[in-house]
Amino acid sequence: MGSERPKASHDVLIDDERVRVTRWDFPPGAETGWHRHGMDYVVTTLTPCAFLLEEPGGAARRVDMEAGASYRRDEGVEHNVVNAGDRAMAFVEVELK
């Protein structure tokens, strides 16, 4: 699934004993690739984001968020995140160790 999409880029900004902070940048249509979160995490959008969240079993849902919005998820979330919009999007992910 999604193997022909461009890949989102990421830069780890902090990785210490308590947190890992990563900035993610997605051109239109880019994806993270399938992954499972090994830690609880918080995401804060830097730009408006049009998330297409592909989930196990073939489910997918779109979530649109304004710049500056935040949400939290528990360890164990498995998905592929895709930029479903027509503009670049970016967010910061803070993983809690």
Side-chain angles (χ1 to χ4, degrees):
M1 271 195 265
S3 61
E4 297 180 25
R5 293 179 180 135
K7 297 298 181 198
S9 62
H10 65 282
D11 291 305
V12 176
L13 306 174
I14 300 171
D15 192 357
D16 64 21
E17 66 281 351
R18 299 190 63 184
V19 298
R20 179 170 34 216
V21 179
T22 306
R23 178 187 169 125
W24 285 90
D25 289 281
F26 294 70
E31 67 178 359
T32 56
W34 281 93
H35 60 281
R36 182 184 183 281
H37 287 266
M39 294 176 258
D40 294 349
Y41 66 100
V42 175
V43 167
T44 301
T45 58
L46 299 174
T47 65
C49 290
F51 295 106
L52 174 64
L53 303 170
E54 296 179 335
E55 299 168 333
R61 60 191 170 99
R62 181 171 166 157
V63 177
D64 292 290
M65 299 182 72
E66 294 298 320
S70 296
Y71 65 89
R72 185 189 79 76
R73 296 288 182 266
D74 293 330
E75 172 187 354
V77 171
E78 185 176 351
H79 58 195
N80 181 28
V81 178
V82 182
N83 179 356
D86 58 3
R87 292 188 225 174
M89 71 178 200
F91 59 84
V92 170
E93 173 184 72
V94 179
E95 296 172 286
L96 308 171
K97 296 183 179 179

